[in-house]
Every structure is written in C-alpha cells, then in structure tokens.
Amino acid sequence: MPREGTEETVRHLFHDAWNRRLLDQLAVAYAADCQVHTSPGRELSGVRALMRWVIGLLAAIPDGEMSVDHYCDVDETDGRIAAVRWTLRGTHLGHGAFGPTSGRAVVVMGMSHLRFAGEQIVEEWTVFDEIAVLRRIYSPAPASPV
C-alpha cells in the first residue's frame, strides 16, 4: 500500500465502520486471523471477534459518532504501523459494554495502533479509559442549581 494512501484508508475505515455502521468494511481492512488487544486486557482473535467488540460498544452508545483526531504512521521491519488518536461521542442509551442504560452523554477518547501486512491490518492495540467512561455513566447526577 502506498504510504500516502494509508491515512486516507484508515480515516475511511473508522468513518465507515463506526459512523456508517458498515461493519463489513472491517472484514475488508483486517486479516481474517487478525489479533486485537484492547483495554482492559481483552484479547480478540480474528475479525469476527473484532466485529462483536465493535457491536458491543455501538450497542451501548447507539448514537455514537467517531472522529479521527490525529494520525501518523511509520514503516517498520515487520510492516507499516499506524497510530490513530480518536474520540467516540454519544449517549449511553443501550445495554452493552457498559451495563444498563443510563442516558448519560459519554466521550470515549482512545488510541489505536494498527500493524499492516501488505494492505491489511494484522494486529491492533487499542486503549481507552474505560474507568472514566464508567465513572461518567454511574456517578450520581450533579445537584441542580438553586
């Protein structure tokens, strides 16, 4: 894959999968046997497991909108590595990754490192502060101003 095309490809992938809900694009972008490491220590094997994880997050935040806030990449001896800083904004409206519906607005800020072999992603490392999301969802509502 030409270096100049990687950023555009990744930005389209994040937009298509998360905002347009075109999860079939994950099967195009990721190798069938990809390895995905997510917080807090989840290990996903294969693109189907990745799809289930994405569905779980989208079930919890069904109106979620993903933005790619920063992108960079570098060629390493074992392939290209892309780093993506992203934000998922929405409302905790559904059962899923974060428990029963709260109706609270959430902002999930995260980072993903994607390792490519040729044109496909073969390994991903994704981190986000899941505790901060849970704290936002389950903390008592602030007192109303008098």
Side-chain angles (χ1 to χ4, degrees):
M1 171 180 303
R3 179 178 201 117
E4 59 277 357
T6 306
E7 179 173 1
E8 182 177 326
T9 298
V10 169
R11 285 182 182 275
H12 280 290
L13 170 64
F14 274 63
H15 178 72
D16 286 347
W18 291 92
N19 297 336
R20 297 181 67 205
R21 311 310 195 240
L22 298 174
L23 299 185
D24 62 322
Q25 294 304 302
L26 296 172
V28 173
Y30 286 79
D33 61 348
C34 65
Q35 297 299 305
V36 179
H37 319 279
T38 71
S39 50
R42 288 181 193 93
E43 296 292 326
L44 310 175
S45 226
V47 74
R48 289 179 184 257
L50 172 61
M51 285 181 182
R52 284 190 299 272
W53 180 73
V54 171
I55 289 168
L57 287 174
L58 289 174
I61 310 169
D63 65 345
E65 287 289 325
M66 171 72 73
S67 65
V68 172
D69 305 319
H70 182 74
Y71 174 92
C72 64
D73 64 41
V74 64
D75 287 322
E76 298 285 340
T77 57
D78 60 345
R80 178 166 299 140
I81 303 281
V84 182
R85 192 183 65 214
W86 50 264
T87 305
L88 178 65
R89 292 177 174 83
T91 313
H92 182 234
L93 295 172
H95 290 275
F98 305 116
T101 299
S102 70
R104 296 271 180 101
V106 293
V107 177
V108 182
M109 295 173 22
M111 181 181 293
S112 299
H113 284 200
L114 312 169
R115 185 168 63 85
F116 287 81
E119 295 190 19
Q120 286 194 304
I121 300 164
V122 294
E123 195 163 14
E124 174 182 329
W125 297 263
T126 290
V127 295
F128 63 91
D129 190 348
E130 193 166 350
I131 299 300
V133 175
L134 292 170
R135 184 173 166 208
R136 172 71 180 134
I137 290 170
Y138 292 106
S139 64
S144 300
V146 188

